[in-house]
Amino acid sequence: MNKYIIKISCSDEKGLVYKISDILFKNALNIEKNNEFVDKENAKFFFRARVYGEFKETTLKQELLSSLPLDTNISIAKSRKKDIIVMATKESHALGDILIKHYSGALNANIKAIIANHEDLKELSQKFDIPFYCISAEGKTRNKHEKEVLELLKNLDIDYIILAKYMRILSSDFVKPYEGKIINIHHSFLPAFIGANPYKQAYNRGVKIIGATAHFVNNNLDEGPIIAQNVKEVNHEYSWKDMQRAGREIEKSVLNEAIDLVFDDRVFVYNNKTIIF
Amino acid sequence: MNKYIIKISCSDEKGLVYKISDILFKNALNIEKNNEFVDKENAKFFFRARVYGEFKETTLKQELLSSLPLDTNISIAKSRKKDIIVMATKESHALGDILIKHYSGALNANIKAIIANHEDLKELSQKFDIPFYCISAEGKTRNKHEKEVLELLKNLDIDYIILAKYMRILSSDFVKPYEGKIINIHHSFLPAFIGANPYKQAYNRGVKIIGATAHFVNNNLDEGPIIAQNVKEVNHEYSWKDMQRAGREIEKSVLNEAIDLVFDDRVFVYNNKTIIF
Amino acid sequence: MNKYIIKISCSDEKGLVYKISDILFKNALNIEKNNEFVDKENAKFFFRARVYGEFKETTLKQELLSSLPLDTNISIAKSRKKDIIVMATKESHALGDILIKHYSGALNANIKAIIANHEDLKELSQKFDIPFYCISAEGKTRNKHEKEVLELLKNLDIDYIILAKYMRILSSDFVKPYEGKIINIHHSFLPAFIGANPYKQAYNRGVKIIGATAHFVNNNLDEGPIIAQNVKEVNHEYSWKDMQRAGREIEKSVLNEAIDLVFDDRVFVYNNKTIIF
Amino acid sequence: MNKYIIKISCSDEKGLVYKISDILFKNALNIEKNNEFVDKENAKFFFRARVYGEFKETTLKQELLSSLPLDTNISIAKSRKKDIIVMATKESHALGDILIKHYSGALNANIKAIIANHEDLKELSQKFDIPFYCISAEGKTRNKHEKEVLELLKNLDIDYIILAKYMRILSSDFVKPYEGKIINIHHSFLPAFIGANPYKQAYNRGVKIIGATAHFVNNNLDEGPIIAQNVKEVNHEYSWKDMQRAGREIEKSVLNEAIDLVFDDRVFVYNNKTIIF
């Protein structure tokens, strides 16, 4: 039997859980797992259920919409592997980690293509038979380069874009059509060390813990909703190169954790923050 | 308005959330927060809600019981500070941490008494005006000593007994009447290093991480349901005394975390494990 | 026999360890533990040894100075409990933690006095028989208030000032005479969330990990050399008050770790960073 | 100029650092980094230096041996990539992580071959052009199977054997000739959950933290010297399959950390423990 993920968000009011579970119950849906959360500060309600059963999506959606608040947002998605592309530059650790996981069948996604602005990762991509597109940015305006990438993306029907150490800043023109669809790994414990070379910044500041942050990309550099973070203790013996080396392991694990959560439809974005069930 | 914590556990079946939220809704209860969990392996359902409103406890309980499975277990408890005693031996760090938190008003409990088998902690207890009872175990059988403690406990109407580094093993005769009511901090990352002097054991084994575990006490030494655990990195420079010293900080923080959860009625015990909302 | 801590820092050059250990050896000193570190970026050498034996401090210092580089900095200190004062405001958790540790004999320091700008912590201080001075800042300029505190400090011969959640910013006039002597606990994972109400900042940013940082105080708010940091995972269920509550435990443990290191003469400060042996 | 790692261990006595640094100094060696440690309990001294310069290995070794205690153990090794083989069974995550790191040039080792007892990992190995040998254990005694593996190993001149989730127990006959040369990743926080299916054991025990341990292999299952450990928080929502999935990430990172340390000659083994500089 098919499994579905139902995600609902709306203004909070009394009886929402009752109303939703009433409708799901009457539609003979089996709930495997459900979670809800109320953001009290903003009186906002979030609900997610993993269900199975026979039902008509449009009817169910209609019933839910008609008994829930006007601002209700519903998504009913068949549980399936997501279609993604991975963007990278030269470093292979983050991309490689995704490729290995994909290869073993443990990634809840199909990698439709890898796009890079350099040729370095071509060989690795080809080892795993993933189409690799190098779109160089050399001698091009940001606008021109992004247009070329967007052109390529148009022909690919994708759910998410994973930036696996893609070392270029994306303009808001690029980001806008893919809002909530682009996941980046930033190599610092955000909001510390926004921007370029965070390990050097961390080294210079003399921190005792370094970290990495996976987040959705929005218009402001490194300021999108945070999905996952992790850290590692360092000490004065670490040069910034040592921090970078140690940091790569954190980057891999944090990006890995974040995409697992997103591909499993467990993440809501609201108010530039994430609610994760 | 009074707040209540409603905790329900029963065999899992379709529509439980619907039935419960239906009844809560019809009783005009406002749900501030609710969580549920299904242990699929054992087909067991757990539900907790923090509610407020005007209602008759017995009626609500009756309504719930009559529409839920036969094995349903319900507790409806007014949200209030718990009454506790703390048992200790000689070490002051765990007790001291609780006393300071109690003093500041941040502990969700009233300390009715401190019971120890040595006099060492008397002065500290008195600083905070908590009744201190020294019941020495010297020259007594375990049975006789425990009877004296139980005698004292009889006169105190308590919700929980906190073992803040109480260095004696409790017999099952002692534990039985207080099942699910005694919380211990064990100075290792259980189930590693059960029993005496775990830091020495950890040192001898050459571990790179030490930990502490807060758990409910049952009949088997250090085998009760785990509530909270935490760890700290160590290295070859740590003597076992250094591990012990570092471990004290973990013990404090883990015990503190565990009693916060328990006093807030967030913990279910099932199958020798905890479900924590 | 007395134990001493010898700390040496100087420009790096070949043979420093040889020269130092040669002199220590010829002075019949027993080395219990020694560490060295070279900051290659700045060609700076750091050495620390814990030694015991009979020797004349001035002679040893002279011998070392005459065979080491011109910029050599040496401290030879008898291993002893440090004399400290603690400054606080209203919150009791950080101060309380230090008081309990002091009471148990585990703090490597004598608390000569507690200074606060409010009366709230007077009772707690008195429980532990520590002199408490309330120097209110109300209706005074920063300058006037700090002068009153400095006046009091003049009469106390102290090694370190511990800011245990002292919620006022210290001017550079205050800090200068105590450079490298003032240790602060900042309630965030610096350099993230500098300044006021970091938990609210962290909540608003939607971070998944919160932290605390113990650092030496210099002229720039929250920018002094970091001694210790620690973190804790949080999630969307945490209000900023919950983060604050959870954060207090990290604050306690990080401050505790930092002062242990400093009081044990294990910390060098160089280039606004710490080297910790 | 060549870099060398000098490792010395011997009975502790006064003046060892002086004697060693004297000899290194007189041999015109530049010390980039050196560390020492005294295991006081066993009066054992450990020293490691990374040096460069022109010197005759045998002469230097002779000089050191003649002025240090009789039980002195010295290794002087040119800093170089180690030659290794990786043994695995069916799971690809640990092997894959090593292969990607090897591919990027970040692994301080050459993978001479991959040996497995199943065919599953052949394709992956071949993608990276590493010789793959499947030596099935089916229908063979442990002794016979191990002899076949040993036969293959004889022809490979290797420094270390990495067990990247090799799911068979090695007999002492196999281990003996490779003592201190075999590194295993155990999928639990040792010494908790020794033996088979540790995630199921952890799940049944209801732990709140899971972990992984990299260790040298000795005769006793999972009891060799621990090199690195790491952990991850879990909760009641984790099935044992979820723990296994989450655990794979820890396994990768712990094995990765351990082999970095070992390949960099930073690990001493003594008394079934590791000293790591």
Side-chain angles (χ1 to χ4, degrees), chain D:
Chain D
M1 213 176 289
N2 285 321
K3 292 200 179 173
Y4 290 80
I5 306 292
I6 300 175
K7 286 167 78 177
I8 299 172
S9 64
C10 58
S11 294
D12 188 33
E13 59 174 47
K14 217 168 124 175
L16 287 173
V17 173
Y18 159 62
K19 285 173 189 166
I20 295 169
S21 51
D22 183 26
I23 292 168
L24 298 187
F25 185 63
K26 284 170 182 159
N27 278 272
L29 281 170
N30 285 286
I31 300 178
E32 271 205 350
K33 183 174 190 295
N34 74 302
N35 291 87
E36 65 263 8
F37 171 67
V38 176
D39 175 342
K40 306 204 145 245
E41 205 186 6
N42 301 292
K44 195 87 187 178
F45 171 86
F46 301 89
F47 174 93
R48 175 191 185 266
R50 204 168 60 210
V51 303
Y52 58 98
E54 300 295 336
F55 67 100
K56 251 192 94 189
E57 258 185 73
T58 46
T59 316
L60 179 64
K61 198 164 183 173
Q62 214 38 62
E63 277 186 57
L64 285 165
L65 280 172
S66 67
S67 60
L68 297 177
L70 281 175
D71 65 348
T72 297
N73 220 311
I74 299 180
S75 93
I76 302 176
K78 197 181 282 185
S79 189
R80 62 165 176 81
K81 293 214 169 193
K82 299 296 183 284
D83 292 316
I84 66 168
I85 64 136
V86 183
M87 291 177 71
T89 293
K90 289 178 170 188
E91 282 178 282
S92 60
H93 64 286
L95 173 62
D97 197 52
I98 294 172
L99 286 171
I100 289 286
K101 196 166 176 181
H102 182 252
Y103 175 77
S104 75
L107 189 74
N108 198 9
N110 308 305
I111 308 177
K112 306 267 276 223
I114 290 159
I115 302 176
N117 54 321
H118 287 272
E119 292 279 358
D120 305 58
L121 298 168
K122 183 176 186 174
E123 192 190 273
L124 181 62
S125 305
Q126 289 179 341
K127 280 185 193 305
F128 291 92
D129 306 313
I130 312 286
F132 176 88
Y133 302 93
C134 178
I135 302 180
S136 171
E138 283 230 358
K140 295 173 193 164
T141 61
R142 179 171 313 277
N143 189 264
K144 180 162 171 21
H145 180 248
E146 290 189 349
K147 268 199 180 138
E148 290 181 31
V149 177
L150 284 169
E151 199 57 40
L152 177 57
L153 289 176
K154 249 182 231 163
N155 303 313
L156 299 166
D157 187 21
I158 52 163
D159 296 297
Y160 293 103
I161 298 170
I162 312 305
L163 307 182
K165 304 285 303 224
Y166 181 67
M167 303 306 278
R168 293 178 57 79
I169 294 166
L170 296 170
S171 75
S172 57
D173 282 350
F174 187 100
V175 172
K176 204 167 292 169
Y178 292 100
E179 223 194 292
K181 305 273 180 207
I182 309 178
I183 297 165
N184 184 42
I185 178 73
H186 182 74
H187 37 322
S188 90
F189 189 74
L190 287 175
F193 313 128
I194 284 174
N197 212 333
Y199 293 118
K200 209 158 195 172
Q201 290 184 59
Y203 169 78
N204 287 334
R205 181 62 187 90
V207 297
K208 300 299 183 187
I209 293 181
I210 56 170
T213 305
H215 62 100
F216 287 110
V217 176
N218 66 8
N219 291 336
N220 295 75
L221 175 62
D222 301 334
E223 298 197 351
I226 293 170
I227 306 164
Q229 301 189 290
N230 209 345
V231 296
K232 182 184 165 56
E233 292 181 24
V234 294
N235 59 43
H236 63 268
E237 294 202 24
Y238 281 70
S239 67
W240 79 261
K241 286 276 181 193
D242 292 330
M243 289 189 181
Q244 189 183 48
R245 208 162 8 243
R248 282 195 192 112
E249 291 305 305
I250 321 173
E251 294 165 20
K252 277 161 51 180
S253 83
V254 168
L255 182 56
N256 180 71
E257 188 187 338
I259 62 182
D260 269 2
L261 293 168
V262 171
F263 296 168
D264 210 17
D265 294 305
R266 295 176 59 184
V267 182
F268 288 79
V269 171
Y270 176 67
N271 235 356
N272 207 40
K273 298 199 248 183
T274 58
I275 291 121
I276 302 180
F277 290 135

Side-chain angles (χ1 to χ4, degrees), chain A residues 92-108:
Chain A
S92 60
H93 65 285
L95 173 63
D97 197 53
I98 294 172
L99 286 171
I100 289 286
K101 196 166 176 181
H102 182 252
Y103 175 76
S104 76
L107 190 74
N108 199 9

